[in-house]
Amino acid sequence: MTENTCPITNGLPTLRERPFDPPQALRAQGPIGRMTFPDGYEGWLVTDYQLGRDILSDKRFSSAPTNKHLAFPSDRSADLGADIPGLFEHMDPPEHTRFRKRLAGQFTLRRMRQLTPRIEEITAQYAEAMFHKGSPADLVADYSVPVSSQVICELLGVPFTDRDRFEANSEKLLRLDIEPQEAQAALMDLVDLTGQLLMRKKAEPADDVLSVLVEGEDISLPEAIGATLLLLVAGHETTANMLSLGTHALLSNPDQMDLLRADESLVEGAVEELLRYLTIVHVGVQRTATEDIEIGGVTLPKGETVLIHLPTANRDPKQFTDPDRLDVTQGQLGHLTFSHGIHQCLGQQLARLELRIGYTTLLRRFPDLRLAGNPDEIPMRSNMTVYGVHQLPVAW
């Protein structure tokens, strides 16, 4: 393998020229090469599936925030919240292991099976409300966001009355075009909210994630706040956007939607295919070499940062047959959407469950669902770290 012949400058491009495809400038790159981050730092960019997977599973690469850099051009000077304790996605073992062990029991397949009836109730509730509200509707506001919000609130133990507060603040934290002071204020409000909730759980524990975080003495309150922020924002935003963007992709590929309508048993594979095809966390994943490491024929010096661009890696033709075509009959595990290695998404089984139930409920309640208005005018979330649509007008 060889380096990129045309290095990326000023960070990752944010605009997807076609709504479901990675930016063309990144797809034109070689498997590994130089990238200049917006702050001027010269690091590395990986767009190759196997190289990305290898880096994510290599213990010689660190997840610590020390050498991380903001990947997108933005008014922000640094990654918000990087110095907050408890953000275990920015930790290496043994600190990372401490959090994963504490939380793992809340995200097992057994726990997901227990949640299934409740998620079916929630999706049916909002689908019915959207139906009675009338056509056309905004799938984002009327279905995807409230479904994902209520599920994560109930799992974590966050009162649903706080939904508006955490939804608004979460949206601000993911915007690339927000004033730094406004983003910082949103972060501090979420810190205040989660701190209050955790103190209540400490006094009156329940069967939820927040209670698990504050039991015992090995995780401090500031660390529990950081872990809660990570679970709350990531668990809500990713699933909400996958529900909306996945529906957009299916309605834009009516042959694939017809296959699902004709055979609901395809939904499990369809979810995996949509996760690969869309890859909504388009910021990628950063790692730092803890020693000189040769990978893909290139030596990454100790202390240098590499960004694995997951959307492009998930379209690697060496790994996936006809990767630019959405095919709900070919969905399979192995994509990098949930990352890989020890930092593979803790809530991935919850996300899969929500998506399977969420899409199935839509198919059943709205057998003739269609896009309303001009598809070219649907506002895409190119200005966010989690991709999707701001609104999705639908009719039936």
Side-chain angles (χ1 to χ4, degrees), residues 174 237-238 241 280-283 381-388:
L174 298 180
E237 287 286 346
T238 51
N241 282 288
I280 60 171
V281 182
H282 66 171
V283 66
R381 285 170 54 109
S382 299
N383 63 330
M384 312 290 286
T385 59
V386 175
Y387 191 61

Side-chain angles (χ1 to χ4, degrees), residues 189-203:
D189 191 50
L190 277 179
V191 167
D192 179 62
L193 171 63
T194 54
Q196 293 176 31
L197 293 174
L198 286 161
M199 290 300 291
R200 285 184 225 156
K201 297 296 181 182
K202 186 79 171 176

Side-chain angles (χ1 to χ4, degrees), residues 102 157 194-206 208-221 224:
R102 176 65 67 84
T194 54
Q196 293 176 31
L197 293 174
L198 286 161
M199 290 300 291
R200 285 184 225 156
K201 297 296 181 182
K202 186 79 171 176
E204 299 178 11
D208 53 45
V209 173
L210 296 191
S211 298
V212 169
L213 276 171
V214 293
E215 68 182 14
E217 303 298 330
D218 60 322
I219 294 179
S220 68
L221 179 60

Side-chain angles (χ1 to χ4, degrees), residues 148-349:
S148 61
S149 293
Q150 186 151 351
V151 170
I152 199 66
C153 279
E154 293 190 10
L155 179 67
L156 296 185
V158 176
F160 199 54
T161 52
D162 291 320
R163 168 194 159 192
D164 290 344
R165 185 175 173 187
F166 92 73
E167 282 180 7
N169 286 324
S170 296
E171 192 268 347
K172 290 177 182 177
L173 292 180
L174 298 180
R175 280 175 52 192
L176 299 172
D177 55 358
I178 193 172
E179 290 294 326
Q181 298 88 342
E182 189 177 357
Q184 188 66 27
L187 177 62
M188 289 301 100
D189 191 50
L190 277 179
V191 167
D192 179 62
L193 171 63
T194 54
Q196 293 176 31
L197 293 174
L198 286 161
M199 290 300 291
R200 285 184 225 156
K201 297 296 181 182
K202 186 79 171 176
E204 299 178 11
D207 182 20
D208 53 45
V209 173
L210 296 191
S211 298
V212 169
L213 276 171
V214 293
E215 68 182 14
E217 303 298 330
D218 60 322
I219 294 179
S220 68
L221 179 60
E223 287 178 326
I225 289 173
T228 301
L229 286 174
L230 177 59
L231 294 170
L232 187 61
V233 176
H236 158 63
E237 287 286 346
T238 51
T239 307
N241 282 288
M242 268 303 303
L243 280 172
S244 296
L245 188 63
T247 302
H248 183 10
L250 289 169
L251 293 175
S252 299
N253 291 269
D255 59 325
Q256 300 303 301
M257 178 62 97
D258 288 344
L259 287 172
L260 274 184
R261 285 173 171 149
D263 184 0
E264 281 187 8
S265 69
L266 293 175
V267 72
E268 185 170 347
V271 165
E272 298 304 321
E273 173 70 346
L274 287 166
L275 286 165
R276 177 202 69 83
Y277 182 72
L278 300 173
T279 317
I280 60 171
V281 182
H282 66 171
V283 66
V285 180
Q286 293 186 40
R287 295 289 185 265
T288 301
T290 59
E291 58 184 80
D292 292 354
I293 302 172
E294 183 178 340
I295 188 161
V298 175
T299 297
L300 275 61
K302 177 181 178 180
E304 293 203 355
T305 296
V306 57
L307 187 146
I308 302 103
H309 192 254
L310 302 182
T312 307
N314 275 340
R315 295 292 189 93
D316 188 341
K318 299 188 300 298
Q319 181 65 29
F320 303 100
T321 303
D322 200 3
D324 293 329
R325 185 170 72 92
L326 177 65
D327 185 352
V328 298
T329 69
Q330 297 296 316
Q332 56 187 315
L333 300 173
H335 56 76
L336 297 178
T337 300
F338 292 118
S339 190
H340 185 63
I342 64 169
H343 284 280
Q344 194 168 35
C345 176
L346 181 65
Q348 62 179 295
Q349 298 306 336

Side-chain angles (χ1 to χ4, degrees), residues 347-366:
Q348 62 179 295
Q349 298 306 336
L350 175 62
R352 288 183 166 105
L353 179 63
E354 281 188 72
L355 294 173
R356 289 197 296 266
I357 296 173
Y359 292 136
T360 299
T361 300
L362 282 177
L363 289 169
R364 291 175 179 173
R365 191 65 187 88
F366 302 97

